[in-house]
Amino acid sequence: MNVNDETPRVVVGVDGSPDSYDALRWAVRHARLIGGTVDVVAAYDVPGAVGRSAPPVSAAFDEEQARQALSDEIRTVLVRAGEVPLVEHVVRGNPAKVLIGASAGAEMLVVGSRGRGGFASLLLGSVSQQCALHASCPVVIVRPDVMEAMEATEATEATEATRATEATKTTEHGPS
């Protein structure tokens, strides 16, 4: 993860959960607004490792297969990334520690409010909480209800822009 470049860098954690996909969409939108890049970070832990924040993987874990799976997830989640450069990272380690490390020199760290952990009643996941407390840059924690509102606003804005374009064409060229 290049921390010396002048281009603003947005780091986003992805773990395969719906909340992390919302965080990825939010990070891409933000990077587009600031002319930045997005570092998409997926962390994994091996069985017996300390902590429970990442899904355990088998001893036969294939890192290259994980990289391909991350690329496939990104293409599925992001219908369009547009001109926003994406850099994918699959890193072994505790997800909170990996993301906190990746936050060094970043414009912003973006995470979902809940990951794949087993405590559904919690409003904030442990990785999100650790990132908010220890990251070396501002942290955005994306909640699902915020993404729904953002997508509804964007749909309304797109409809209004289309209507304005059609009205301009009609004004300039007369009715069809």
Side-chain angles (χ1 to χ4, degrees), residues 165-176:
T165 301
E166 290 171 357
T168 301
K169 287 179 185 176
T170 302
T171 304
E172 291 175 356
H173 304 291
S176 309

Side-chain angles (χ1 to χ4, degrees), residues 98-175:
V98 168
L99 291 169
I100 291 164
S103 74
E107 177 84 13
M108 181 173 294
L109 171 61
V110 183
V111 292
S113 59
R114 302 241 338 120
R116 295 173 54 166
F119 299 102
S121 63
L122 295 177
L123 296 176
L124 185 64
S126 61
V127 172
S128 305
Q129 184 176 24
Q130 289 300 306
C131 289
L133 292 171
H134 302 291
S136 59
C137 65
V139 177
V140 172
I141 300 173
V142 180
R143 296 187 340 238
D145 56 330
V146 170
M147 285 306 297
E148 290 168 9
M150 182 183 278
E151 289 167 357
T153 300
E154 285 181 351
T156 301
E157 289 171 354
T159 301
E160 289 172 359
T162 301
R163 287 183 185 147
T165 301
E166 290 171 357
T168 301
K169 287 179 185 176
T170 302
T171 304
E172 291 175 356
H173 304 291

Side-chain angles (χ1 to χ4, degrees), residues 7-157:
T7 304
R9 187 171 57 91
V10 178
V11 177
V12 60
V14 176
D15 68 357
S17 68
D19 284 10
S20 75
Y21 295 158
D22 286 343
L24 176 59
R25 289 184 196 98
W26 195 99
V28 168
R29 286 184 182 111
H30 182 71
R32 186 178 294 118
L33 290 172
I34 65 170
T37 63
V38 176
D39 280 0
V40 183
V41 179
Y44 67 93
D45 237 336
V46 294
V50 178
R52 297 184 171 270
S53 19
V57 296
S58 74
F61 178 77
D62 181 351
E63 191 169 334
E64 189 54 42
Q65 187 177 12
R67 289 183 196 289
Q68 184 59 49
L70 177 62
S71 292
D72 293 345
E73 281 184 41
I74 290 170
R75 278 193 299 282
T76 300
V77 172
L78 296 177
V79 176
R80 66 184 204 4
E83 313 77 46
V84 177
L86 300 174
V87 181
E88 302 166 17
H89 305 275
V90 176
V91 183
R92 179 179 173 184
N94 173 285
K97 288 181 181 176
V98 168
L99 291 169
I100 291 164
S103 74
E107 177 84 13
M108 181 173 294
L109 171 61
V110 183
V111 292
S113 59
R114 302 241 338 120
R116 295 173 54 166
F119 299 102
S121 63
L122 295 177
L123 296 176
L124 185 64
S126 61
V127 172
S128 305
Q129 184 176 24
Q130 289 300 306
C131 289
L133 292 171
H134 302 291
S136 59
C137 65
V139 177
V140 172
I141 300 173
V142 180
R143 296 187 340 238
D145 56 330
V146 170
M147 285 306 297
E148 290 168 9
M150 182 183 278
E151 289 167 357
T153 300
E154 285 181 351
T156 301
E157 289 171 354

